[in-house]
Amino acid sequence: MDGLIIKPNWADMVLSGIKPWEIRGSRTHKRGTIGIIKSGSGLVYGTANLVDCIPLTMYEWAANKDKHHVDYVDIDYKTPYAWVMQNPIIYPEPIPYKHPQGAVIWVKLGGGKGE
């Protein structure tokens, strides 16, 4: 399983289901269950199913703010993409993982819950 590194406040919102769209500056072709990692923590806090990746126009950005909660002025991406998450699961206890040097978006996790 792969783990997605997200800033702590956004990771909490993704895992709670409040923020089903994670905004990124590039596409992803990954699909399926991914671990949700709070950046700087060394811990996997849960999982979500990554089901789609949508390029966003200004109109789509504004019309779907309730799905991403990010102000347009706070991003500097040429084309923002919504990485669409479903079925978040919060682990009862976060699970440690070994963070490889230089990893900023994805981390390869072992089998199961980030082992």
Side-chain angles (χ1 to χ4, degrees), residues 4-24 36-39 45 48 61 65-72 74-75 77 85 88:
L4 179 61
I5 302 166
I6 305 176
K7 290 181 180 177
N9 58 319
W10 298 129
D12 287 337
M13 291 175 76
V14 167
L15 287 169
S16 70
I18 295 170
K19 184 180 186 289
W21 287 11
E22 170 63 8
I23 302 302
R24 296 290 169 136
I36 303 297
I37 298 167
K38 293 182 185 181
S39 60
Y45 282 81
W61 181 276
K65 181 134 190 238
D66 62 320
K67 293 183 177 114
H68 59 75
H69 301 276
V70 180
D71 290 325
Y72 195 78
D74 291 338
I75 63 155
Y77 304 137
M85 311 281 183

Side-chain angles (χ1 to χ4, degrees), residues 88-107:
I89 296 171
I90 300 172
Y91 291 161
E93 292 292 326
I95 298 176
Y97 73 96
K98 293 181 183 171
H99 188 87
Q101 185 174 353
V104 294
I105 299 174
W106 292 106
V107 172

Side-chain angles (χ1 to χ4, degrees), residues 77-90:
Y77 304 137
K78 181 178 177 183
T79 302
Y81 292 87
W83 293 12
V84 182
M85 311 281 183
Q86 293 179 348
N87 305 317
I89 296 171
I90 300 172

Side-chain angles (χ1 to χ4, degrees), residues 13-66:
M13 291 175 76
V14 167
L15 287 169
S16 70
I18 295 170
K19 184 180 186 289
W21 287 11
E22 170 63 8
I23 302 302
R24 296 290 169 136
S26 61
R27 294 183 186 276
T28 185
H29 297 286
K30 293 182 188 287
R31 298 293 183 271
T33 302
I34 60 169
I36 303 297
I37 298 167
K38 293 182 185 181
S39 60
S41 72
L43 299 169
V44 182
Y45 282 81
T47 61
N49 293 330
L50 179 54
V51 297
D52 203 358
C53 178
I54 305 167
L56 298 176
T57 64
M58 286 281 283
Y59 172 78
E60 291 165 322
W61 181 276
N64 291 285
K65 181 134 190 238
D66 62 320

